Amino acid sequence: MVSLTREFQNKDDAYCFSLAKALYCVATPVTVGFYAPWGHCKSYLLRRIQGYMHLQSWKKDQQEFQRTGVRPREASGWDLLRVLLLMVFFRPVLTPQHRSRRNVRHVFIHFSAWEYAGSDQLWAGLITALCDGVEREFGLVPMSVYRAVGRKCGVLVAPLRQEWVSKRYFCLPLWVAVLLVTAVGIGVAVLIFLFGIPIGNAPGDAIAIVEGLGATAVGITAAVAIRTVVTVARNVVVTQKAQLERQMNRTDLSAQLGFMSNVKREVRTIAGFLQFMEIFQRRKLRVVLEITSLDRCSPDKVVGVLDAMNILLSDYEAPFVSILAVDPSVIVDCVESSLYMKGMANNGYEFLNRTITLPFSAPRMDNDTKRQLMKSIVDCKLALEKSLAEEAVQRGSQAGASPGPTGRGSRLCCGSANQSSPTRPTDDAEVPLVVLGRDEPVKARCPKGFKAKDLIQEAFDSLLHETMKEYMTENLVQMKRIVNSISVTVRLMATEVPQEKLCPAKVAAWVLLANQWPCRLSWILQCIEDDEQMSRLGMGQGDRLAPDLPLWEVYEKYMEELDMIKAQLEKLLELDGDPELFHSFLCGRFRVQDANFFLPFTVNLDSSLKRHMELLRGSRSLKRPKKSPGLSKCALLRMSVDEVCSEMDKLGLKEENVQRYKERVREHNLSGRALVYSDRNEIRDVLGMGLGEWMAFSVYFLGSVPPQGCAPAAAAPAPVLDEKKWLGLQEGSCRGSRLSIDTSRENLHR
């Protein structure tokens, strides 16, 4: 574990600082795989990394100034005019002095793939975001001028002392040639002004020839200058981002091939511009491209963005640092299911490793960090509700001060007997805890009572208690859901529940339970509902669930049935959090009566989960007709050895054989659970039944007929659950269970 210093507030800061230091010194181009699950505050962590890299750049700039006495330049003010003149007349030189510089400036560009998900070429959106970010950082005019004149002559690599060398025009420095052409133009203008265009004598013809040559030179130069100015103006008016987006909308094949070529050329242009600005600003430049929301796009678009990242990496001198902030499990599935990658990337992890240069998995949040994030969300929620309440009070006071139809101030309370219908209270947070009937006296309908916002505050305080931080989620979106659900649930209960029955601490715990383990809680609620229905109909096979029975014991009672159908609930079980935490959170906290009490107000639990389990349990009970003999697997699981012996009397076997079979059942301790999870051939060998008796026993107890065409000794065995598979739902969550693990192992291997 990383030891935290005073500089870091939590463990996340230490990880972000370490990655920022590594990215500051890494050789480009590089692609960082910033791996974190969905909702794991990736944006927050990226901002922390960005802050640390900016701080490191500032420190290096100060050190470089102390070493050389030269400050970095910026592309603004007089420096902007200087950089434009340098682009037109000079070429930069990559000197040894520049290579030795250690100060680096990072330009951060954010690309949300979800914003371009509607485009056919999502990968091209990455390049357009890069163009737009560079133009926004350095200015549109310098980038437009460089596209017009600067990209034709790249950076010179030479062991020179000066950082700029003049461009050449007819073996002359370009700036000298421009001055000469300007002087010629002025001279021609003077000659024309003084002599006009004389024709007819020798001196006049000579002057005309000189004027013609001068005008030609000036005209050619002016034409080149006008063409350059027009190109710059066009680049300013129609940005490169707009040009690329226009080409993205074209669907013909020839346009697509040309578009790919334009994209690669644009990437090279941006790289050359950054090299030019490096030498001008007297520090190195790196573009950090943060790619987010890619795990929300379709598989083919995901592959397209990964291809675009490979384009950025194709130039080994490109100053690009790409940070791919995604959930790797989602990206791997997209790569493996993409039609474009069939036969190329059967293993998505290998394909991802070929693209990623530096993998970085975001750390799991510790309890203190989760509590801090939850507290910040709660504080923001309370501040918003407070501001809304103050505005409502202010509006109510203004409305009360204005005269009403009767000449008196309008009252917002429901104490007036002349009102035909109750009105809303002034403060939205002030909700009466008891809703009285319409036949109640008017004065009793609006008691002073408590404010709902006070109960919400108490619920939030309970949520932020030290004992609750272990059960909080690491997902920021889920945290917001919990906070919002608590607010809604308390307000809803405040309108229906008497004051003495509403416990804000329990409300907060129930909302947290429904958010963290929706599948298991839905299973418990469905089992409670089915038990009550069976009891009302007189169809219960056992005792009814007592109101004071803990919910964990209810879960234990039906745990094996859940284990039998968990293959059909696999996707729903993935919604749940840690099973061990579920056990420790549920034990001793809620009972059956609490579940029935909170169920009508549980707004954050998807009712379709419970409905799906209701259909599963109902379909299992309908699979066996009532007229056909046999026990359901759920009923058999709860049978003891004596109950199994009693059921054997219903098979209609010979009395002497039945007694012998009962003795063997008791001798080998064959309870209902042992019959379910044991091999059928072993059961038959232990009981010593003949073919006909074994057929009757198998149909009644085991629920199916042995396969035909198989010898008795080689009958197809029932699937024997592996020990780890049998403990799948119970692993980590069955501590304190009445069924010990040792007993489970003994029954499994018997």
Side-chain angles (χ1 to χ4, degrees), residues 103-336:
N103 54 332
V104 182
R105 178 189 176 189
H106 292 86
V107 179
F108 289 87
I109 299 175
H110 179 258
F111 172 72
S112 177
W114 182 248
E115 297 178 2
Y116 294 86
S119 174
D120 293 334
Q121 292 84 26
L122 175 62
W123 62 271
L126 177 64
I127 309 301
T128 58
L130 177 62
C131 297
D132 187 57
V134 172
E135 291 176 352
R136 187 171 56 251
E137 181 68 25
F138 296 99
L140 183 58
V141 174
M143 192 67 190
S144 301
V145 173
Y146 182 82
R147 285 197 178 96
V149 299
R151 65 181 181 182
K152 296 180 181 179
C153 45
V155 178
L156 293 177
V157 180
L160 303 177
R161 296 181 60 87
Q162 65 271 23
E163 294 182 339
W164 303 96
V165 296
S166 177
K167 297 179 181 178
R168 293 288 175 175
Y169 186 74
F170 288 110
C171 300
L172 294 176
L174 181 59
W175 64 273
V176 174
V178 170
L179 291 178
L180 183 60
V181 171
T182 304
V184 171
I186 295 174
V188 170
V190 171
L191 289 176
I192 294 176
F193 179 76
L194 294 177
F195 303 102
I197 306 178
I199 301 175
N201 52 21
D205 292 342
I207 294 174
I209 292 173
V210 171
E211 290 177 351
L213 292 176
T216 302
V218 173
I220 295 174
T221 305
V224 174
I226 292 173
R227 179 178 178 274
T228 303
V229 171
V230 170
T231 304
V232 172
R234 185 189 62 184
N235 292 334
V236 171
V237 175
V238 183
T239 62
Q240 191 69 14
K241 177 184 178 182
Q243 296 180 25
L244 291 176
E245 288 180 346
R246 184 176 64 252
Q247 295 184 28
M248 285 168 59
N249 298 326
R250 300 180 62 181
T251 57
D252 55 290
L253 180 60
S254 60
Q256 295 299 325
L257 296 177
F259 180 44
M260 177 65 74
S261 176
N262 292 339
V263 166
K264 292 182 178 180
R265 184 169 60 251
E266 181 62 24
V267 171
R268 290 194 296 268
T269 300
I270 293 176
F273 175 76
L274 293 174
Q275 288 182 342
F276 182 93
M277 296 302 297
E278 272 190 2
I279 299 175
F280 173 76
Q281 293 191 350
R282 298 168 179 167
R283 59 187 170 192
K284 296 181 179 179
L285 294 176
R286 299 290 183 268
V287 174
V288 181
L289 192 59
E290 300 173 347
I291 304 172
T292 60
S293 302
L294 187 61
D295 42 16
R296 300 171 61 184
C297 301
S298 60
D300 294 337
K301 297 184 183 299
V302 170
V303 173
V305 172
L306 295 178
D307 289 339
M309 295 175 62
N310 292 328
I311 294 177
L312 298 179
L313 297 175
S314 60
D315 186 359
Y316 292 102
E317 296 182 357
F320 298 129
V321 177
S322 304
I323 300 181
L324 185 64
V326 293
D327 184 349
S329 60
V330 177
I331 300 300
V332 166
D333 291 340
C334 290
V335 170
E336 293 178 351

Side-chain angles (χ1 to χ4, degrees), residues 541-604:
Q541 298 182 355
D543 298 334
R544 180 179 177 181
L545 298 177
D548 59 345
L549 184 67
L551 289 188
W552 174 250
E553 295 189 11
V554 177
Y555 180 74
E556 275 190 323
K557 182 177 181 180
Y558 297 98
M559 185 187 300
E560 293 180 341
E561 181 181 351
L562 177 62
D563 182 70
M564 293 167 55
I565 63 174
K566 68 179 181 181
Q568 299 169 279
L569 299 176
E570 182 178 0
K571 293 184 178 180
L572 302 185
L573 287 171
E574 292 177 357
L575 301 175
D576 287 356
D578 193 340
E580 294 182 356
L581 295 180
F582 173 72
H583 169 259
S584 61
F585 184 83
L586 194 61
C587 279
R589 197 180 294 267
F590 295 105
R591 301 181 182 276
V592 173
Q593 57 187 3
D594 297 326
N596 294 327
F597 174 71
F598 285 114
L599 180 59
F601 311 103
T602 310
V603 295
N604 65 320

Side-chain angles (χ1 to χ4, degrees), residues 360-545:
F360 181 86
S361 296
R364 292 180 58 90
M365 289 187 188
D366 54 10
N367 294 333
D368 294 332
T369 304
K370 291 189 291 185
R371 187 169 178 269
Q372 290 176 4
L373 286 176
M374 184 68 79
K375 187 177 185 304
S376 63
I377 296 174
V378 169
D379 293 341
C380 181
K381 178 74 173 178
L382 293 176
L384 180 60
E385 291 192 356
K386 183 179 179 180
S387 63
L388 293 177
E390 292 175 352
E391 291 178 2
V393 172
Q394 185 177 3
R395 290 194 303 268
S397 61
Q398 293 175 356
S402 61
T406 60
R408 300 169 56 186
S410 60
R411 301 173 60 88
L412 295 179
C413 65
C414 50
S416 175
N418 296 328
Q419 290 178 331
S420 59
S421 61
T423 59
R424 296 183 180 180
T426 302
D427 188 355
D428 289 341
E430 187 175 358
V431 180
L433 290 176
V434 182
V435 177
L436 303 176
R438 295 185 178 273
D439 55 344
E440 296 290 338
V442 178
K443 292 184 179 180
R445 291 174 62 95
C446 290
K448 183 176 181 181
F450 290 85
K451 291 184 177 181
K453 65 180 182 181
D454 297 332
L455 301 175
I456 294 174
Q457 178 67 58
E458 187 177 349
F460 286 157
D461 293 341
S462 173
L463 180 66
L464 297 175
H465 195 267
E466 287 288 334
T467 58
M468 300 289 286
K469 65 182 182 181
E470 182 181 1
Y471 307 106
M472 291 181 185
T473 177
E474 299 180 8
N475 192 306
L476 185 62
V477 178
Q478 297 291 341
M479 290 183 181
K480 294 179 180 179
R481 289 181 57 178
I482 292 172
V483 172
N484 295 330
S485 299
I486 289 177
S487 177
V488 174
T489 304
V490 171
R491 292 183 186 278
L492 181 61
M493 296 184 69
T495 62
E496 302 288 340
V497 178
Q499 173 190 349
E500 61 274 6
K501 291 186 178 181
L502 200 156
C503 178
K506 254 191 171 180
V507 173
W510 181 262
V511 171
L512 183 62
L513 174 65
N515 188 85
Q516 293 293 87
W517 298 280
C519 181
R520 286 175 170 81
L521 179 59
S522 299
W523 174 257
I524 294 174
L525 295 176
Q526 184 59 43
C527 292
I528 294 175
E529 179 182 325
D530 291 344
D531 181 81
E532 292 178 351
Q533 291 178 354
M534 298 291 286
S535 299
R536 286 197 302 267
L537 297 175
M539 301 171 58
Q541 298 182 355
D543 298 334
R544 180 179 177 181
L545 298 177

